[in-house]
Amino acid sequence: MHAPEPLIVIQRFTEAHLEGVTALYNEPAVCRQVLQMPFQSVEAWRNKLEMDNERRLQLVAVHGGEVIGQLGLEQLLRVRRSHVGAFGMGVAPTWQGKGVGSRLLAAALDVADNWMNLRRVELTVYADNEAAQKLYCKFGFEVEGRMRDYAVRDGQFVDTVSMARIRTPA
């Protein structure tokens, strides 16, 4: 007999999650894998939350009242690209590889497909983040290209990979 799965709840990101999301992205191991600056304030995350509208979906994964993951999906505003959404995600280091990213991504793609009617969902991920790339491939994302010296991380220029999933009509 094995231990029961931990209860992970996916919720819409609200004011109640601000401290937890701020702490998540200020965790050095998370911060170095996303395209955000370290030491962000709660106020910076509050501003992102206030920009919430029907073109933005912001989710959190919560376990025992603690934020253990976050995903933001945004539909692009330009008319000729309104069928496209882009997202970013972070998962607490102790929860990586335990299905949190899969749960967040499944929930976001359900909304992207069935509510936002997005045909294309795209992302940028560091080229050396093989675990994340593997997760995205599991959900139908494909590598479209490599962008050299795309960002600075740990004082070095690093490459990223552009990935996208294109939903085909049923």
Side-chain angles (χ1 to χ4, degrees):
M1 197 184 250
H2 60 74
E5 295 274 326
L7 181 61
I8 299 167
V9 180
I10 305 300
Q11 301 173 341
R12 186 164 193 97
F13 177 17
T14 68
E15 184 90 18
H17 304 112
L18 281 172
E19 296 278 342
V21 170
T22 302
L24 172 71
Y25 284 101
N26 283 336
E27 167 68 40
V30 175
C31 185
R32 78 179 305 275
Q33 291 297 344
V34 297
L35 292 170
Q36 297 184 33
M37 292 293 289
F39 306 111
Q40 290 198 18
S41 66
V42 171
E43 196 57 40
W45 279 101
R46 182 175 283 111
N47 290 338
K48 292 177 187 180
L49 188 57
E50 288 174 359
M51 296 184 333
D52 198 24
N53 62 57
E54 285 191 344
R55 290 183 175 266
R56 294 175 61 110
L57 174 67
Q58 298 189 71
L59 301 175
V60 290
V62 178
H63 175 263
E66 176 188 2
V67 173
I68 59 172
Q70 187 273 344
L71 182 148
L73 169 68
E74 184 166 7
Q75 182 179 15
L76 302 186
L77 290 173
R78 300 192 66 139
V79 173
R80 292 175 52 185
R81 299 248 308 144
S82 63
H83 65 289
V84 179
F87 78 92
M89 176 171 56
V91 175
T94 57
W95 285 92
Q96 291 175 6
K98 297 181 180 176
V100 175
S102 290
R103 298 273 308 274
L104 284 165
L105 196 49
L109 291 175
D110 177 60
V111 173
D113 293 347
N114 298 308
W115 297 94
M116 298 172 85
N117 199 28
L118 298 180
R119 179 166 166 78
R120 175 184 172 88
V121 178
E122 57 192 30
L123 64 102
T124 302
V125 60
Y126 286 114
D128 62 0
N129 191 343
E130 293 175 8
Q133 290 176 50
K134 185 176 177 182
L135 169 66
Y136 302 141
C137 286
K138 184 173 101 173
F139 281 86
F141 286 81
E142 296 179 15
V143 172
E144 293 189 324
R146 185 180 191 103
M147 295 174 280
R148 298 177 314 168
D149 291 351
Y150 185 84
V152 175
R153 182 180 64 186
D154 300 329
Q156 303 291 318
F157 288 103
V158 293
D159 295 354
T160 61
V161 173
S162 174
M163 299 182 77
R165 185 202 79 161
I166 298 178
R167 181 173 50 95
T168 54

